[in-house]
Amino acid sequence: MPEYTLTYFNLKGRAEPIRYMFRLAGVEFEDRRVSWAEWGKLKSNVPFGRLPMLEVDGIPIVQSYAIYRYVAGEFGFHGSNAIEGALIDSISETTREFTINTDSIRREKDETKKAELRKQVEAKYFPDLLVKLEKVLISNKGGDGWLVGSKVSFADISVYNTCIDFYPQMLRKTLDLSGYPKLAALIKRIEELPKMAEWIRNRPATSY
């Protein structure tokens, strides 16, 4: 088994889906959390100057989605065949596009404009995404299992991360899934996976 070191800040951020997959797979890794001061000294030695970084036996991999795909492929979260892998990618890329398109909230400095952007995301953009995700979930055997195939995959993890980690940080409120019963049940299934529940219960407390 290779030695894994994940380097990121003391935040959930872009590293949390990686941590989820390591924990669910039961694979040991060093969860290296650096301060902003430490990052200033480290940055010049990191490929492309970006975090998160996953080192595999000392070989550094950066860019979050490159790491997600690597870890998903290594630990069985990328489907049982090429079609399932493509479906998983289509879902995770959809959540990725959403987070990129709504990043303007974080970048906006004017608090009035920031509040207006949050209203637009809450009222229109996120409900549109949830409707589509609910439909995709239902299309897989009625929606009582996983988004793709018959076991938890990176598709489920990316949706969980978007709904439970990203949305509250961006909108400053907990997501109400009462209008999306299949998605709500999926989130509950993910949180009740024993290794996931243990990680959620014991992980370091962070602002995000």
Side-chain angles (χ1 to χ4, degrees):
M1 177 68 70
E3 290 187 3
Y4 299 101
T5 299
L6 175 64
T7 302
Y8 195 61
F9 307 105
N10 187 31
L11 301 168
K12 295 173 186 170
R14 294 176 179 175
E16 201 67 3
I18 305 166
R19 297 179 183 124
Y20 289 151
M21 287 189 280
F22 269 102
R23 295 302 180 185
L24 286 169
V27 175
E28 291 297 319
F29 72 106
E30 181 184 351
D31 189 6
R32 183 186 182 195
R33 299 175 182 236
V34 298
S35 67
W36 292 106
E38 289 170 326
W39 171 234
K41 298 175 183 178
L42 179 66
K43 187 174 182 179
S44 62
N45 296 317
V46 173
F48 307 111
R50 304 296 296 243
L51 293 181
M53 174 176 69
L54 179 68
E55 295 173 84
V56 183
D57 284 341
I59 299 172
I61 306 169
V62 296
Q63 295 294 355
S64 55
Y65 271 76
I67 300 171
Y68 298 161
R69 290 191 181 97
Y70 168 77
V71 174
E74 286 291 294
F75 301 157
F77 299 115
H78 202 245
S80 301
N81 53 56
I83 289 293
E84 286 191 0
L87 293 172
I88 289 164
D89 284 346
S90 70
I91 293 168
S92 65
E93 286 294 333
T94 297
T95 61
R96 179 189 188 188
E97 286 178 358
F98 176 82
T99 57
I100 291 172
N101 290 339
T102 56
D103 196 49
S104 56
I105 295 174
R106 181 183 61 83
R107 297 195 309 268
E108 179 57 60
K109 302 302 182 184
D110 185 283
E111 289 301 321
T112 301
K113 292 180 181 178
K114 189 186 290 281
E116 184 58 36
L117 288 169
R118 285 196 178 111
K119 287 180 182 178
Q120 291 176 9
V121 171
E122 182 180 6
K124 183 181 187 303
Y125 301 129
F126 212 80
D128 287 349
L129 175 65
L130 295 176
V131 166
K132 293 170 184 173
L133 290 172
E134 181 93 347
K135 185 176 180 180
V136 168
L137 180 55
I138 291 170
S139 73
N140 187 27
K141 302 175 184 177
D144 295 321
W146 309 103
L147 279 158
V148 177
S150 58
K151 62 180 182 179
V152 64
S153 75
F154 182 58
D156 306 292
I157 294 165
S158 67
V159 168
Y160 180 87
N161 176 246
T162 301
C163 292
I164 302 303
D165 299 326
F166 176 81
Y167 182 94
Q169 188 270 339
M170 191 63 68
L171 276 297
R172 301 291 190 261
K173 60 174 63 177
T174 302
L175 177 62
D176 180 8
L177 284 171
S178 59
Y180 313 93
K182 296 295 186 179
L183 271 176
L186 173 66
I187 296 299
K188 189 171 186 289
R189 275 193 297 281
I190 294 170
E191 291 180 332
E192 289 178 346
L193 292 167
K195 291 176 181 177
M196 187 73 161
E198 181 182 8
W199 173 243
I200 293 170
R201 186 168 59 250
N202 297 323
R203 65 187 168 187
T206 62
S207 57
Y208 167 54

